[in-house]
Each structure stands twice: as structure tokens, then as C-alpha cells.
């Protein structure tokens, strides 16, 4: 056949030999080849083998493939493996490789279907997911044929024309109206030519090209582009300024805010230039300070986060309108974007949101991971000093791998912790309702501040933490020895056993420091008042009595016994006693001997003297931390009932209460004390008498005296410790007694604990406190009414609670598993932290357009949450995550336009120095980064006798329906780049 006889680059093909070809099923291609070869032979030209094979072999493959695609239909093509085009949900493509003797081609068919699987009708001119060729030429389904080469374009003009002719013949045979395109010229020009069978004697031609530089000034403006469009079908001698031409005009402008990187770079340049011009008095001015987007966010005290929103793209669209002259085009070019019919906003996300940090960025999650690694290392030493000392063998491996900050940094951190004022902290600030379930210190406490400072000290390695802890304890001891209050610690109140042990110790130490300070002041007052008169002493005594009375009234005169006492006394509480000021005025003469009385207890009377029973002011029970309670419980379990009363451990408290009761009731007996202190041990023989002893009887019960009753069996036993203690207790009011809490002894014990704490015990408490402190800090973020964020923070607290539960035990059962769980917790914390920064950034930028903030965040949340479970070790998945982090575009209402406009702050001189020429339509001084225009004109369908398929063409070519589009020009670009795509009938 022809392909075996004609071999070589090119050869003369005799016309008679051409007649010997026998391909009866492809007669149309023989006729085509016959015409071409006949013309060649008449001109005695040489015919290239690739041209002959191009006319024959690809043509038949193109026709067969197109027939198959037409027969299958869009739905079946999708089922057979059609792939989705990138960045589009409804655009699919199938491809077929065309094999030639000397060259291979790839034919791709692009088609659109809607969500229910049917083929879409019509074309959306501004569809953001459209293919480039759809946007340029206004087509829907189309063929694209390109050579399989490095460039992917046809550099030979005859070859492209012949290939396009072959495709047109094939589509005509198939009765298909698909347009076909081939790429031409240099790849940088992004040029195409195309053809479409209109089903009539007419065909539509397509052509697109691009100017990459030195765009003529005339084509930068709308008037010049308007004239360019008419020059394609109007006589060249026509004066456009003197004639009117009705043209359909649509325009889309894209604006872009400066990215955060550009802002930082330009602000640095502006600051550098300003330093040269500023005088000395401007050094403290507010304008000189560099402002970050998160300066008022709660985490800004610890680090500055990268803005997750790098910028915004705003697409402004002018709807279809009719323009008749260049003057109207000039008016449109000077129009403000606020006059456009439609605004579409597209947030540009930072790339770091779609990939794990792996230490590339600094935030809470990355530093918490470093703290977890320090915890893993802490099990290798006995004391924190072992990591500090370079002579210690256990720290040899750490000397070359960790960094210790210089002394100046250490001094600054200690100063921040101890010399920033002594105002009492608000421990409920930033506290989530679930944060108290974590056994850690409150956010504003001294230990939490130490833990958060440790996260940023020397990259939070174990040796740096040891240096900081040793200096921290040294400063705490200085406060103790100098009776200086501990910052950010309360000096009164009870010990909160739900917090970590170190916080409990520091709280007790702060109370001990305050008590020592008070005793020192009283001692100095006593020395200074040796020569004072008895009257002044009396005034001071009355002042102390009033002080005790006020303190007792605030406490409600209600005493609670320790759990060991409560268990042994049948869980009975003391009666509530209220002091009545009227009783302190009219006292009998015997009251002159009362001391430390808080007032009578109802109508209770003393058994022997028939005088009112008074409740005494007693000392507060000694404060105890969690380990002190455990020691007492262990002692009770060890001694059991060998001492007959577990109250032996509370003997000091019992003696103090008895002494105070004797001082307030000089004529009282042991039974009176039992009736007041432990009513359950007084067995009344008459119910009325029992009620009278409880203070609930009326005044008439005084006639029934004395009340009938007796002590319980345990109080009546011989050798009872309570009766023996009563006999030994002196009558002393609470102020004259020895304090139950020895501040000096307890303070030294606390300091000894802090100086000798095991490293892993310290790090375990630091990890718990740092996670709670970081979570509480994020919880303070103001992100408006974003319910997804509230729910996600609550989930984070629950995850933290379940993961840190193992560290709250005295012994970690599985150290390796615990560390793995903590690392996974850091990953979960990282995800929530990213969500918080996105929510905060959106809320700040759209304070007056909350709907936009919520819609954008909901879109991002739905996109990001499924990625939270992706394995961070898979690099390929990480790449796909980065590519998929694109949120949707949101339409901006007229009320929200001013808020969006404010996002485009006027560019500085440094940012706009290169903007010499302007295309108009400025938005706050911003020139559009892309201008897209569609010019079109048409003819009435009813007059188109040549348009046999007018209805189909109207449906696929123009949305108006009353006329068919005959000329269309798409223009896109800027002042430095211009692309034009023309389609004509």
C-alpha cells in the first residue's frame, strides 16, 4: 500500500499510483487525499509522507472516536472513566492517542454535566471553574488536539491547518457541532486556532493570541479595545469616533490585597526610611511601633502568629449592557467598582494551614511538643541540678545538643515572673467550664506563668528548663526570707486540692509569708507601744475583738471538722451559731470574765450556772496540701484504733477549741462543750429537751431546767481522750493561743520540696499546667458567634483531660505509651490552634460584616476538619492537603461592600512605585490585577435563513435567545500583559 511504497522523508508520488489505494470504507478520506495530491502533481510539488498519513490515518481515527463518544453520551463516559478536570466539579474529559507514522497526537474531549448527571445547557461567561478555552470562546463542549511533544503545540502552520481540516471533516461526518482547537505558535503565547461546524453553510473560526510585554497604550484602555473589536469586521477606513456601533459589553475586574509578606517587607522599608527622618522626640511615638495583626489577641504575649489569611481576591462584575460609542467606554473606565452589579470575595489562605508544622513555625503546639520531649528525658536524673551540672555524667549527652539562653534572657524571664507588681490575680480569667477538671494551676497563677515562660526558654529543652527552675526556686526562697509576697498568688483562702501539687505548695507558702509578715508587724508594734497608755491598749484590744468578730461573721460562725474527726463523730457538724449585737450590750456581771466570745448560741444554757452558752472565736483549722492529707490518712491507717480515737492526730485543734470555749464560758463543764461541739455525743432523754439543747426551743423552755440527757457511751468511757484534754486545756481565747499553723516550719518544708522535687514529677505537673494554660489562653480569643469553634474547644478540653489523666497518678505505668499519647495530643492541639487563628482573623477583619466571617469560616471548617485525621508522616498526602486548601467564593451584599472595601488599604508609595500607567477602575488606589472583557454582537435568528441549526446554536452560543452571536472577543490582562480571543462566523 501507500505507506509501504512511499518511504523516506519525502518522495514524488505519481498520480496514477494514488489511484491504486483501496480503502472503500473511508471514501471521504480518499476523496480528500485525491484532491490534495492532484493539486500537488499539477504544481509538480513534493508531497510529504506525514501529510499523506495525516490526511488518512488520523482522520479515520478521529471520526471513529468521535462517533463512539457521541454514542456513549456524557453519563456513560463518566462511568467508563472520564476524569474530572482540576478545579472544576462538573467538567470532565476523556482522551484518545492518535498514532501517526512520524508523530503522535492526543485528542481530548471536554464536556460538562450537572449534579444529577444530565448534560448542562448554556454557557456561563464568568464561571470560575470554566476551562480556559470555554472562557475565551464561550463554548461548552469541545475537542482539543495537541501533539505529544515537549512543547505541546504545533509550530508548523501548514501542519496545524491540515490537522484542523481533518478534525473538521471528521466532525462533519459525525454531524457533531463540537468546536475543535489546536495549540499553535510558541507555548508562552498561549495561542490557539479552532473551527466549529454550525450545521449550515457557515462555520465559526476561533483565534487566540497573547502579547506578553510592551502592550500598546491604546489597548490599555477600554476605548482602544472597543475599536479593536470593530476593526475585525468593519471596513478599515471607517472613523470610529463618528459612528456608533451597538455592542454587548461585560467586564470582570479582579483585585487583590497585598499579602502579609509584602506588608511586612514594605513596612520594614518604610520603617528604615522613617528612621533617617525621625528626630529624637519621635522615638516613643506610636507610629514607629510595628503593628501585627494579632497584637490584641491573647496569645500575642507569647508569640506572634502568621496571619492565616494571606489576603483577599475581590472579583467585581459588570453585567451585560449595550454600548454604542467610545465615550461610554471612557465613562465605564472611570467608574468606581461600587457601581458594579456583583462582588465576589475569595479569601487567600496561608499555605501552612494545609500542612503539619514539623517545627517550621512557632506556636503553642510546637512548644508543647518540645515540653513533652523534655518530660521523656526527665526520667534519666534524680534532681533538676543533675541537668544543670556539666560534670554530671547523665547530662553529657545533652551538653552538645541543647541551647541555654544567655544570662540576660534568664534575668528578663525572672523579672517578668517576680517583679511585675503584686496585684492579686483573677484565677477565673479565661477559664473554660471544663478546665477545672484538669489537675493543673490556674492561668494567672505563678506556676502557670512559669510553665508558659518555659515553653519559650531555650526552645524548651530539659537543660534550659532546669536552669530556669533552679533560678525560680532561688527567687521563691528570697521572697520567703525577706517576707515579700509571691506574685500572682493569693495570701488567704483555702487550698484548692483540684490543682497541681506545686500550685498548692506555692499557695500555702504565700499564706505563710503573709502570716510571718503580720507577726513581724505586731512585734514591731509591741516594741513601739511600750510607753503607750492603758487607754490605747484598751482601744487596741477592742479593735482586735472587732476584727475577730467581723472575721467570724463573714465565716458564718460555722466550723467544719476534718474528715477523720467527722467520721469518728458520726458525721455530725457543729450547730450554726449567730452572734447578735444586742446581746453584747446588756450583759450580766459574769460576762466581764468572758473572753473571745462571738455571742450566745440561741437559747442554750450552761448546765451548772444556768447562764447563756456563748460560741467562742476559734482558730482556723490548719491548711493542708494534698500530700499532707495523704500523710494523715496513711497515719490513721497505720495506727488504726490503737489510740482509741483517731482524734489524736487532731489533738492540737481539739485543745485549741476547748481552750477558746472555756475562755468564752468560764463556768462551763465538759458536758456543755460536748453539747456545743459534738451534739451527736449528747443523748437527750426527752425530745423537747433535745430540741431545746439545739437552740430551737422557745423562751418558755427555760422553765424545764436542767435538761434531761447524758453523754454518749464513747464519751463516757474511762480514760476518754476528750475528757482528759478538757481537764488539761487552759482557758485562753484564740488570739492568745499558739497558732495551729506554724508558718516557719511549713514554709521551710515547702522550700525543701521545691528544691528536691524529682525531675519527672516536676515535668509531669508542668505538662498538665502548660496544656491547660495554653488552652485557656486560646479560650480567651474573641471569634464572635462561631459555634463550630466553641464545640471544637470543648472537645479539646475533653481530649486533654483523658490524655493527661495518666500523669496525675503517682507512677506512670507505661512511659513510652504515655509519651506517644502526648505527642498525638500536640497534633490535636495544633489543629485547634489553627482553627482559632483563622476564626480570630476573620472576626477582626469582618467586625461589621459578621455574616461573611461566619460563612467563610464554615466553608474553611468543613474543608479542614476532615484533614485533621490525615497521617502527618505521609508526604504525598501532605502535598494534596496543601493543594486542597481553597475555600469557596462568597457574594458580597451591598451593605457589606464598605467593609470589604476597607480590606484594600491604600497602597504606600513603596508599593505603587511601579504603577506608572493606570487602567482605571481603581479601588482605594488599587489597580485590578486582572481585567476581563467580553465584546459581542449578533444577528437576529429569524433572519438567519442560512442557520439550519439556529436553535442549537442559540442555546450553546448565546444566552439571550433572540439573536445568534456572530462575533465575540474576549480580552484579559493588565497594562503589561494582554490576551485576545476572537470568534467569528
Amino acid at each position: 500500500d501507500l505507506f509501504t511504497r512511499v518511504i523516506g522523508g519525502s518522495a514524488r508520488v505519481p498520480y496514477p499510483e494514488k489511484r491504486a489505494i483501496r480503502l472503500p470504507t473511508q471514501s471521504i478520506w480518499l476523496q480528500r487525499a485525491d484532491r490534495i495530491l492532484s493539486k500537488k502533481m499539477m504544481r509538480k510539488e513534493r508531497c510529504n509522507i506525514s501529510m499523506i498519513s495525516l490526511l488518512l490515518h488520523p482522520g479515520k481515527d478521529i471520526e471513529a472516536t468521535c462517533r463512539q463518544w457521541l454514542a456513549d453520551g456524557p453519563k456513560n463516559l463518566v462511568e467508563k472513566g472520564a476524569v474530572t478536570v482540576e478545579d472544576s466539579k462538573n467538567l470532565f474529559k476523556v482522551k484518545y492517542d492518535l498514532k501517526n507514522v512520524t508523530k503522535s497526537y492526543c485528542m481530548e474531549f471536554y464536556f460538562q454535566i450537572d449534579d444529577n448527571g444530565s448534560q448542562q445547557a448554556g454557557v456561563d461567561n464568568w464561571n470560575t471553574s470554566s476551562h480556559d478555552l470555554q472562557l475565551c470562546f464561550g463554548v461548552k463542549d469541545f475537542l482539543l488536539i495537541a501533539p505529544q511533544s515537549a512543547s505541546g503545540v504545533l509550530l508548523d502552520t501548514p501542519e496545524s491547518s491540515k490537522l484542523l481540516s481533518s478534525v473538521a471533516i471528521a466532525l462533519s461526518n459525525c454531524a457533531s457541532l463540537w468546536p475543535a482547537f489546536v495549540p499553535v505558535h510558541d507555548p508562552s503565547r498561549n495561542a490557539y486556532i479552532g473551527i466549529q461546524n454550525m450545521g449550515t453553510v457557515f462555520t465559526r473560526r476561533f483565534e487566540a493570541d497573547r502579547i506578553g510585554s510592551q502592550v500598546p497604550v491604546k489597548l490599555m484602555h477600554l476605548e482602544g479595545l472597543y475599536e479593536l473589536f470593530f476593526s475585525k469586521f468593519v471596513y478599515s477606513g471607517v472613523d470610529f469616533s463618528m459612528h456608533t456601533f451597538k455592542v454587548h459589553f461585560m467586564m470582570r475586574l479582579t483585585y487583590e490585597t497585598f499579602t502579609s509578606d509584602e506588608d511586612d517587607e514594605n513596612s520594614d522599608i518604610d520603617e528604615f526610611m522613617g528612621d533617617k527622618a525621625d528626630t529624637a522626640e519621635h522615638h516613643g511615638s506610636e507610629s514607629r511601633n510595628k503593628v501585627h495583626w494579632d497584637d490584641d489577641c491573647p496569645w500575642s504575649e507569647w508569640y506572634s502568629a502568621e496571619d492565616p489569611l494571606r489576603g483577599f481576591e475581590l472579583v467585581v462584575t459588570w453585567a451585560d449592557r449595550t454600548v454604542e460609542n467610545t465615550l461610554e467606554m471612557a465613562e465605564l473606565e472611570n467608574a468606581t467598582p461600587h457601581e458594579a452589579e456583583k462582588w465576589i470575595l475569595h479569601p487567600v489562605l496561608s499555605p501552612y494551614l494545609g500542612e503539619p508544622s514539623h517545627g517550621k513555625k512557632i506556636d503553642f503546639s510546637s512548644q508543647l511538643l518540645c515540653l513533652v520531649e523534655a518530660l521523656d528525658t526527665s526520667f534519666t536524673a534524680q534532681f533538676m541540678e543533675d541537668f544543670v551540672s556539666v560534670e554530671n555524667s547523665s547530662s553529657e549527652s545533652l551538653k552538645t545538643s541543647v541551647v541555654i539562653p544567655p544570662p540576660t534572657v534568664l534575668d528578663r524571664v525572672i523579672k517578668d515572673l517576680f517583679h511585675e507588681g503584686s496585684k492579686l490575680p483573677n484565677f477565673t480569667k479565661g477559664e473554660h467550664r471544663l478546665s477545672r477538671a484538669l489537675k493543673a494551676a490556674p492561668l494567672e497563677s505563678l506556676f502557670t506563668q512559669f510553665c508558659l515562660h518555659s515553653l519559650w526558654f531555650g526552645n524548651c529543652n530539659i537543660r534550659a528548663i532546669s536552669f530556669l527552675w533552679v533560678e525560680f526556686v532561688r527567687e521563691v526562697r528570697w521572697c520567703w526570707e525577706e517576707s515579700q509576697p509571691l506574685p500572682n498568688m493569693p495570701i488567704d483562702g483555702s487550698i484548692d486540692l483540684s490543682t497541681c501539687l506545686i500550685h498548692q505548695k506555692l499557695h500555702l507558702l504565700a499564706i505563710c509569708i503573709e502570716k510571718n509578715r503580720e507577726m513581724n508587724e505586731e512585734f514591731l508594734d509591741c516594741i513601739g507601744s511600750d510607753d503607750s497608755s492603758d487607754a490605747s491598749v484598751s482601744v487596741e484590744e477592742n479593735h482586735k475583738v472587732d476584727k475577730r468578730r467581723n472575721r467570724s461573721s463573714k465565716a458564718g460562725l460555722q466550723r467544719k471538722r476534718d474528715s477523720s474527726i467527722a467520721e469518728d463523730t458520726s458525721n455530725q457538724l457543729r450547730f450554726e451559731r449567730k452572734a447578735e449585737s444586742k446581746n453584747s450590750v446588756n450583759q450580766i456581771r459574769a460576762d466581764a470574765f468572758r473572753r473571745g466570745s462571738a455571742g450566745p448560741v440561741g437559747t442554750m444554757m450552761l448546765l451548772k450556772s444556768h447562764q447563756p452558752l456563748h460560741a467562742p472565736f476559734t482558730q482556723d483549722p490548719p491548711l493542708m496540701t494534698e500530700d499532707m492529707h495523704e500523710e494523715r490518712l496513711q497515719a490513721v491507717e497505720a495506727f488504726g484504733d490503737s489510740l482509741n480515737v483517731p482524734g489524736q492526730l487532731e489533738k492540737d485543734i481539739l485543745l485549741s477549741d476547748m481552750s477558746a470555749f472555756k475562755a468564752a464560758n468560764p463556768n462551763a463543764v465538759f458536758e456543755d462543750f460536748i453539747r456545743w461541739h459534738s451534739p451527736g455525743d449528747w443523748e437527750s432523754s426527752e425530745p423537747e429537751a433535745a430540741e431545746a439543747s439545739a437552740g430551737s426551743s422557745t423562751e418558755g423552755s427555760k422553765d424545764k431546767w436542767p435538761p434531761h440527757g447524758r453523754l454518749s457511751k464513747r464519751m463516757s468511757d474511762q480514760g476518754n481522750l476528750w475528757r482528759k484534754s478538757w481537764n488539761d486545756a487552759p482557758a485562753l481565747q484564740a488570739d492568745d493561743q499558739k497558732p495551729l499553723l506554724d508558718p516557719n516550719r511549713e514554709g521551710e518544708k515547702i522550700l525543701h520540696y521545691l528544691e528536691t522535687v524529682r525531675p519527672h514529677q516536676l515535668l509531669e505537673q508542668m505538662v498538665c499546667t502548660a496544656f491547660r494554660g495554653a488552652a485557656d489562653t486560646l479560650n480567651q480569643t474573641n471569634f464572635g458567634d462561631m459555634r463550630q469553634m466553641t464545640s471544637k474547644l470543648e472537645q479539646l478540653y475533653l481530649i486533654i483531660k483523658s490524655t493527661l489523666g495518666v500523669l496525675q497518678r503517682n507512677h506512670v505505668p507505661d512511659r513510652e505509651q504515655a509519651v506517644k499519647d502526648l505527642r498525638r495530643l500536640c497534633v490535636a492541639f495544633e489543629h485547634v490552634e489553627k482553627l482559632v487563628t483563622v476564626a480570630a482573623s476573620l472576626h477582626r477583619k469582618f467586625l461589621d460584616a459578621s455574616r461573611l466571617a461566619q460563612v467563610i469560616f464554615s466553608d474553611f471548617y468543613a474543608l479542614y476538619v476532615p484533614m485533621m485525621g490525615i497521617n502527618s508522616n505521609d508526604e504525598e498526602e501532605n502535598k494534596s492537603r496543601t493543594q486542597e486548601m481553597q475555600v469557596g467564593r462568597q457574594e458580597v451584599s451591598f451593605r457589606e461592600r464598605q467593609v470589604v472595601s476597607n480590606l484594600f488599604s491604600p497602597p504606600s508609595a513603596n508599593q505603587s512605585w511601579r504603577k506608572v500607567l493606570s487602567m482605571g477602575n481603581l479601588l482605594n488606589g488599587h489597580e485590578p490585577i486582572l481585567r476581563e472583557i467580553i465584546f459581542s454582537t449578533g444577528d437576529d435568528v429569524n433572519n438567519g435563513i442560512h442557520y439550519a441549526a439556529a436553535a442549537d446554536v442559540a442555546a450553546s452560543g448565546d444566552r439571550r435567545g433572540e439573536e445568534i452571536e456572530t462575533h465575540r472577543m474576549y480580552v484579559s490582562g493588565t497594562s503589561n500583559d494582554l490576551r485576545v480571543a476572537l470568534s467569528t462566523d
Side-chain angles (χ1 to χ4, degrees), residues 648-664:
Q648 178 67 31
L649 297 175
E650 302 291 337
K651 184 176 181 180
D652 293 340
I653 300 176
L654 185 61
L655 285 174
S656 175
D657 291 347
M658 288 179 173
S659 296
F661 187 84
K662 283 185 176 182

Side-chain angles (χ1 to χ4, degrees), residues 476-526:
V476 170
R477 176 170 285 280
W478 180 87
C479 293
W480 162 252
E481 294 175 350
E482 299 296 329
S483 296
Q484 295 297 319
L486 288 178
N488 296 324
M489 292 303 298
I491 57 176
D492 54 9
S494 59
I495 305 299
D496 188 358
L497 300 181
S498 66
T499 60
C500 64
L501 183 57
I502 292 181
H503 175 75
Q504 299 176 34
K505 295 287 186 181
L506 292 175
H507 186 186
L508 182 56
L509 181 62
I511 296 176
C512 293
I513 292 175
E514 179 64 17
K515 290 186 176 295
N516 271 346
R517 193 180 61 81
E518 291 178 354
M519 289 189 297
N520 293 338
E521 291 179 356
E522 291 178 0
F523 177 73
L524 294 176
D525 292 341
C526 292

Side-chain angles (χ1 to χ4, degrees), residues 377 392-402:
T377 311
N392 189 281
S393 59
S394 64
S395 62
E396 285 296 327
S397 60
L398 300 175
K399 291 188 295 182
T400 58
S401 61
V402 298

Side-chain angles (χ1 to χ4, degrees), residues 845-878:
K845 292 176 174 60
F846 297 100
L847 283 174
D848 297 327
S850 58
R851 184 199 68 86
L852 272 178
Q854 294 178 10
V855 171
I856 294 174
F857 182 76
S858 297
D859 194 5
F860 170 77
Y861 184 86
L863 180 67
Y864 185 80
V865 168
M867 299 181 181
M868 294 173 64
I870 295 180
N871 183 8
S872 59
N873 295 324
D874 193 333
E875 296 183 358
E876 294 299 326
E877 289 185 352
N878 290 339

Side-chain angles (χ1 to χ4, degrees), residues 808-822:
Q808 299 174 7
R809 307 171 187 172
N810 294 330
H811 176 68
V812 178
D814 190 348
R815 168 185 158 190
E816 293 184 0
Q817 184 60 41
V819 172
K820 289 181 180 179
D821 292 341
L822 290 173

